[in-house]
């Protein structure tokens, strides 16, 4: 089954005009917690001086291509080992934590020690419902918040990643490599959690991020990709098989006025 993954721009060329990228949440449960992605640099800046960095074309071009995903929770985590030597997470906020103790394990998990990249660097994961999709070849890159200043830096680094969202639209997660487990991980709701950047044919084409409808066809396709990481070591080897299952259209913009409509992101 061959699928034409190109969309025509204003000039009827697949390599001209804006690149349409859709975002959606994979579930409605707790959707109010998850704010829309926003472009980097949307904050009020000084533009009065002609030579201000805020008016520099190169800066504007760069910032326009990154989108910020905000943290949905207030979390303070510590690292410890139990009486059997097993690595465990500790809720440092205790009874003051906004997240109930019974729910915290549903939000963040400590990866099995055998799967850490380095024996002294624990890996923590936060499951998120954010998902991105496109109907032409587009690659998403997930990276750390290099433009966000934290007075108290996180004690580690983000696990980044890159994937083709036109054939592999998967929910993103925050994966963190804990370089200094003696220091707590402190996350605040609303602060940038990570950035995403999109690449398509034509490096000069702007990115148009729009809220997407979770259509039955899209839901079915996502289900066909769900959980495969548990059964194969190299999921990228499944791209061709995924493309064979892919419906002709995955990106359907939400209508204006609906929750998370087209104006909710990309402004």
């Amino acid at each position: 089954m061959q699928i034409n993954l190109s969309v025509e721009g204003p000039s009827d060329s697949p390599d001209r005009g804006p690149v349409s990228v859709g975002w959606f949440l994979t579930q409605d449960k707790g959707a109010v917690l998850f704010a829309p992605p926003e472009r980097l640099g949307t904050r009020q800046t000084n533009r009065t001086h002609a030579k201000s960095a805020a008016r520099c074309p190169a800066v504007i071009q760069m910032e326009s291509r990154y989108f910020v995903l905000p943290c949905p929770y207030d979390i303070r985590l510590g690292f410890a080992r139990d009486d059997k030597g097993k690595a465990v997470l500790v809720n440092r906020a205790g009874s003051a934590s906004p997240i109930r103790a019974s729910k915290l394990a549903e939000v963040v998990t400590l990866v099995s020690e055998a799967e850490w990249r380095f024996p002294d660097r624990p890996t923590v994961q936060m499951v998120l419902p954010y998902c991105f999709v496109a109907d032409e070849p587009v690659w998403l890159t997930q990276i750390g918040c290099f433009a966000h200043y934290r007075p108290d830096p996180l004690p580690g680094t983000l696990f980044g990643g890159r994937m083709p969202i036109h054939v592999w639209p998967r929910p993103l997660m925050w994966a963190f490599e804990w370089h200094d487990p003696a220091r707590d991980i402190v996350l605040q709701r609303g602060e940038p959690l990570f950035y995403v950047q999109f690449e398509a044919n034509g490096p000069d084409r702007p990115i148009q991020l729009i809220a997407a409808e979770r259509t039955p066809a899209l839901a079915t396709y996502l289900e066909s990709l769900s959980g495969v990481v548990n059964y194969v070591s190299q999921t990228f080897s499944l791209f061709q098989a995924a493309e064979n299952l892919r419906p002709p259209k995955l990106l359907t913009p939400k209508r204006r006025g609906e929750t998370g409509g087209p104006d909710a992101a990309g402004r």
Side-chain angles (χ1 to χ4, degrees):
M1 179 180 178
Q2 296 295 322
I3 298 174
N4 181 4
L5 295 176
S6 298
V7 294
E8 296 183 350
S11 60
D12 294 333
S13 169
D15 298 333
R16 301 283 296 274
V19 180
S20 294
V21 174
W23 77 274
F24 62 97
L25 301 179
T26 56
Q27 62 181 32
D28 296 325
K29 182 179 179 181
V32 70
L33 292 171
F34 303 98
E38 289 193 353
R39 288 187 192 271
L40 178 64
T42 56
R43 206 173 43 170
Q44 191 75 25
T45 53
N46 176 24
R47 297 176 181 269
T48 57
H49 197 286
K51 298 301 182 180
S52 168
R55 298 178 65 174
C56 173
V59 172
I60 294 171
Q61 263 289 322
M62 186 277 291
E63 290 186 343
S64 72
R65 295 181 175 276
Y66 290 92
F67 294 83
V68 183
L69 277 292
C71 182
Y73 311 110
D74 289 309
I75 294 175
R76 187 181 189 108
L77 294 174
F79 175 82
R81 291 187 180 276
D82 62 17
D83 54 2
K84 296 182 180 179
K86 181 181 178 181
V88 294
L89 292 177
V90 180
N91 182 9
R92 297 291 196 206
S95 60
S97 173
I99 304 177
R100 293 184 185 276
S102 59
K103 297 294 182 181
L104 187 61
E106 298 177 10
V107 173
V108 288
T109 57
L110 186 63
V111 173
S112 170
E113 191 164 354
E115 298 178 23
W116 299 354
R117 279 204 307 182
F118 301 94
D120 58 343
R121 299 180 192 174
T123 301
V124 178
Q125 291 182 341
M126 179 191 301
V127 178
L128 298 166
Y130 289 106
C131 198
F132 296 86
V133 68
D135 278 332
E136 65 171 298
V138 176
W139 285 72
L140 173 151
T141 301
Q142 180 184 7
I143 57 177
C145 302
F146 59 82
H148 175 62
Y149 173 71
R150 290 180 59 105
D152 184 18
L154 289 172
T157 55
L158 176 87
F159 260 120
R162 185 173 179 269
M163 62 185 177
I165 58 173
H166 55 289
V167 294
W168 204 255
R170 301 296 306 131
L172 299 181
M173 67 169 58
W174 180 78
F176 185 78
E177 194 166 64
W178 209 337
H179 288 238
D180 186 1
R183 294 176 52 216
D184 292 350
I185 297 174
V186 181
L187 301 174
Q188 294 184 337
R189 174 171 165 77
E191 282 197 340
L193 191 60
F194 57 82
Y195 302 158
V196 290
Q197 186 221 7
F198 304 98
E199 303 168 72
N201 292 330
D204 58 333
R205 297 171 64 195
I207 304 298
Q208 181 185 32
L209 187 64
I210 58 179
E213 193 76 53
R214 202 170 68 230
T215 63
L218 176 56
T220 299
Y221 187 63
L222 289 175
E223 186 63 25
S224 72
L225 309 179
S226 178
V228 296
V229 69
N230 295 313
Y231 305 100
V232 297
S233 296
Q234 298 294 326
T235 54
F236 276 29
S237 65
L238 300 175
F239 285 172
Q240 185 59 57
E243 188 172 341
N244 292 337
L245 294 175
R246 187 193 192 280
K249 184 177 179 62
L250 290 177
L251 174 54
T252 301
K254 273 193 172 181
R255 293 171 296 186
R256 292 183 183 274
E258 294 184 1
T259 302
D263 290 336
R267 53 179 176 268

